[in-house]
Amino acid sequence: MGLGLGRGQVEDRVKGGRLVVLHRGVFALGHSRIGIHGNRLAAVLACGPHAVLSYGSAAALWGIRGSRGPVEVTRSSGHRRPHGVRLHQTRSLPPEHVTVEAMIPVTTPERTLLDLAARLDPRQLERALVAADRANRIRWPEMYRVLEEGVGRKGRGTLRRLCGQVDPSAVDARSNPEIDFLALCREAGVPTPAVNVLLEGRLVDFFWPKERLVVEVDSYRYHRDRPAFERDGESTIALMAAGYKVLRPTDRMIETNPGPVMQLVRKSLLT
C-alpha cells in the first residue's frame, strides 16, 4: 500500500495466486515454499514493526539448541496476535539486545540465553551455553552486561552461576553426556580432567594424567553396530594393558543415577 497499491489490487493478486497469504498482511510471492527462514521472517513481520525472533526459535537460528513447535516472537508493543505464532510481550527489549541474522530480526545470543534460562533446567541450560561458546556466538562482556540488566528475571541466577562455572574445556566436549559429566565433576569436587585426549593412538573422552585414569562415556547411539562395539572393547583392553585404569559409564547412568559413577571415579583417583 505504501507503493500505491489499493486493497482491491492486493485482493486481486491473492485471488489470482500471485500473492499467497502467510499471515494477515504478510504474503509470499507466487508460492508458499519459503523454507524455515522464510516462515520465521513471516512470523516476525506479522507481529509488527518492532518484533523479533526469540526464545527457542532464536536459539535454533543461532545453532544453540533445537526447537519444535510454533515460531516464537517477542515484541514490546502491539495488539495483533497472529495465528500459529507463540508471542511473548516484554517491557524491556533494548536495541542492543536485537540484531539481524539471515535477514531476520532476532534477539542476540546473549539475550536468547537469558530468555531460555526461564524455561530450561540447569543441565539443558549448560548445554546451550557450551554450544553457544563452542560456536563463538557469545561475546562474554556482553553476556555479563545482559545478566546485570536482567535482575529479577527467572533463571538469571542459574545462568550467571553457569557462566562463572562452565570450565573452558567444556567447549571441547563432543556430546551432551560429556558436557554433563564435566558438570558432575565440578559438583562432586572432582578435579577437572583433560578432554578428548589422544592416548596410545586412541582418542579418549576424559583423562587424569597423574592418576592414569580414563573415563569413556558410552552411548547406545554409537554402539548400534558390532564393529563399533568391538572397537571400544579392543580400546579398553589395550589401554588397561598399557597400565591405565578405564571406566566406561553409559550416558543413561550419567543422566539418571550419577552418584555411583562419581563415587567410583573419586575412588579410582585415590587408588
Side-chain angles (χ1 to χ4, degrees):
M1 292 181 178
L3 294 173
L5 270 68
R7 187 175 299 274
Q9 291 173 297
V10 173
E11 291 176 352
D12 287 342
R13 284 164 171 75
V14 171
K15 291 177 182 177
R18 294 167 63 189
L19 290 178
V20 178
V21 179
L22 301 175
H23 298 281
R24 182 182 173 186
V26 182
F27 308 89
L29 187 62
H31 63 83
S32 59
R33 300 186 300 276
I34 57 174
I36 190 168
H37 284 348
N39 284 317
R40 289 167 175 165
L41 178 57
V44 170
L45 293 172
C47 292
H50 303 296
V52 298
L53 198 71
S54 63
Y55 285 83
S57 298
L61 181 64
W62 291 118
I64 295 173
R65 178 179 167 84
S67 177
R68 297 179 181 178
V71 178
E72 295 191 79
V73 176
T74 291
R75 69 184 180 192
S76 56
S77 63
H79 301 286
R80 185 187 302 175
R81 292 182 174 273
H83 177 72
V85 177
R86 185 175 180 182
L87 185 60
H88 303 269
Q89 204 85 13
T90 182
R91 296 179 181 178
S92 177
L93 191 61
E96 58 269 23
H97 289 195
V98 175
T99 187
V100 176
E101 179 75 8
M103 298 189 291
I104 304 171
V106 59
T107 51
T108 63
E110 297 81 13
R111 172 59 186 261
T112 299
L113 286 164
L114 180 62
D115 289 339
L116 289 177
R119 68 167 60 161
L120 301 181
D121 64 37
R123 283 281 186 275
Q124 294 170 327
L125 187 57
E126 182 168 356
R127 292 173 185 174
L129 183 63
V130 169
D133 193 26
R134 179 192 294 150
N136 294 319
R137 293 295 194 184
I138 296 179
R139 299 163 295 169
W140 284 104
E142 177 67 11
M143 183 76 255
Y144 288 113
R145 189 178 67 80
V146 167
L147 285 168
E148 288 302 313
E149 294 174 355
V151 174
R153 291 284 303 272
K154 183 179 179 181
R156 170 185 174 270
T158 301
L159 179 58
R160 184 170 185 171
R161 175 175 59 81
L162 288 173
C163 285
Q165 290 183 354
V166 168
D167 193 277
S169 63
V171 300
D172 296 322
R174 295 173 298 170
S175 65
N176 287 337
E178 293 176 355
I179 294 170
D180 291 347
F181 181 77
L182 285 172
L184 288 170
C185 287
R186 281 200 313 275
E187 294 167 6
V190 171
T192 302
V195 181
N196 291 331
V197 175
L198 195 61
L199 192 64
E200 303 289 331
R202 294 169 172 83
L203 190 66
V204 300
D205 294 338
F206 303 104
F207 180 51
W208 287 264
K210 182 179 178 181
E211 296 82 2
R212 295 178 68 82
L213 175 64
V214 173
V215 172
E216 294 272 59
V217 180
D218 285 341
S219 173
Y220 175 73
R221 180 185 317 174
Y222 303 110
H223 292 150
R224 282 184 287 187
D225 61 79
R226 179 161 292 278
F229 177 77
E230 295 292 343
R231 281 196 301 271
D232 280 351
E234 292 171 359
S235 176
T236 298
I237 295 298
L239 288 171
M240 293 179 69
Y244 297 96
K245 295 172 286 188
V246 182
L247 304 180
R248 302 195 74 97
T250 67
D251 56 351
R252 185 179 295 274
M253 293 176 188
I254 288 174
E255 183 176 351
T256 63
N257 189 26
V261 173
M262 298 314 298
Q263 288 177 12
L264 183 57
V265 169
R266 190 183 292 108
K267 182 177 179 180
S268 299
L269 288 171
L270 295 175
T271 58

